[in-house]
């Protein structure tokens, strides 16, 4: 019940809270902090992360970035292979990709996964709110959230891709 309440509050924030701040900040520390925090509850090296070497400035509120990123990583861990790795890539253009090696999600299920309380199957754990929260943030940012299954270049897996607003350095 506590976890469901937390997710409902995150959804409310995603739909109506402040997502932008006045001065840009580097996204990398927030992503790194959430990944390290999440990694404490899983076996070592389960999360493989690739971040740009230089700062990635954005006017996204760090809390909103944390909510978005935590939901993506926790979903990838929960629905991937038990011993599998979750690959996280944040590119210099702001493209965030989170992929696991779980089973292929059928297209008809994939198209519904960003709907509130929708889960991949009745046996799936979770509230069915994680991707709905991420989709609400993406919608308010005016960016696309793309779900792929199988993950690009693989025979299985699931990948979520979202382009975060960043200041591109020439």
């Amino acid at each position: 019940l506590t976890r469901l309440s937390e997710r409902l509050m995150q959804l409310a924030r995603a739909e109506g809270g402040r997502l932008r701040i006045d001065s840009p900040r580097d996204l990398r520390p927030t992503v790194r902090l959430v990944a390290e925090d999440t990694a404490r509850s899983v076996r070592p090296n389960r999360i493989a992360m690739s971040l740009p070497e230089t700062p990635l400035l954005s006017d996204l509120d760090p809390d909103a970035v944390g909510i978005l990123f935590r939901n993506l990583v926790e979903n990838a861990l929960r629905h991937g292979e038990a011993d599998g790795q979750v690959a996280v890539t944040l590119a210099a253009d702001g493209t965030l990709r989170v992929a696991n090696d779980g089973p292929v999600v059928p297209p008809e299920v994939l198209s519904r996964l960003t709907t509130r309380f929708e889960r991949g199957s009745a046996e799936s754990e979770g509230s069915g709110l994680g991707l709905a929260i991420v989709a609400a943030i993406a919608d308010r940012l005016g960016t696309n959230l793309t779900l792929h299954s199988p993950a690009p270049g693989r025979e299985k897996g699931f990948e979520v891709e979202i382009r975060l607003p960043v200041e591109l350095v020439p």
Side-chain angles (χ1 to χ4, degrees):
L1 188 56
T2 301
R3 191 155 183 82
L4 177 59
S5 296
E6 177 183 311
R7 292 291 189 254
L8 288 169
M9 289 177 62
Q10 287 179 355
L11 182 60
R13 168 125 194 249
E15 292 178 337
R18 185 175 180 201
L19 297 181
R20 306 277 183 141
I21 56 176
D22 295 330
S23 59
R25 292 189 186 169
D26 188 2
L27 292 174
R28 297 172 311 152
T30 301
V31 169
R32 196 175 289 118
L33 178 70
V34 171
E36 289 170 357
D37 184 53
T38 305
R40 288 188 195 118
S41 63
V42 297
R43 72 167 174 74
N45 302 318
R46 184 108 193 266
I47 301 172
M49 193 164 44
S50 174
L51 301 176
E53 291 183 23
T54 58
L56 194 56
L57 300 178
S58 176
D59 67 349
L60 284 176
D61 182 285
D63 288 336
V65 173
I67 289 169
L68 179 142
F69 186 65
R70 183 176 301 277
N71 277 289
L72 289 177
V73 172
E74 286 180 354
N75 273 355
L77 288 166
R78 182 179 297 118
H79 301 293
E81 296 291 329
D83 290 332
Q85 196 170 57
V86 170
V88 175
T89 304
L90 180 58
D93 68 355
T95 302
L96 174 65
R97 290 182 182 89
V98 178
N100 69 16
D101 56 357
V104 172
V105 178
E108 64 276 4
V109 175
L110 196 65
S111 67
R112 298 189 316 258
L113 286 181
T114 57
T115 305
R116 292 177 188 188
F117 304 109
E118 187 68 42
R119 295 180 298 166
S121 69
E123 299 82 36
S124 295
E125 291 183 31
S127 62
L129 289 173
L131 288 176
I133 292 165
V134 173
I137 292 172
D139 184 58
R140 291 208 34 233
L141 293 175
T143 191
N144 290 327
L145 174 67
T146 309
L147 310 179
H148 304 279
S149 189
R154 299 162 124 187
E155 293 182 17
K156 63 179 187 171
F158 180 84
E159 179 184 89
V160 177
E161 179 181 317
I162 183 171
R163 180 86 174 260
L164 302 175
V166 296
E167 291 183 7
L168 296 177
V169 179

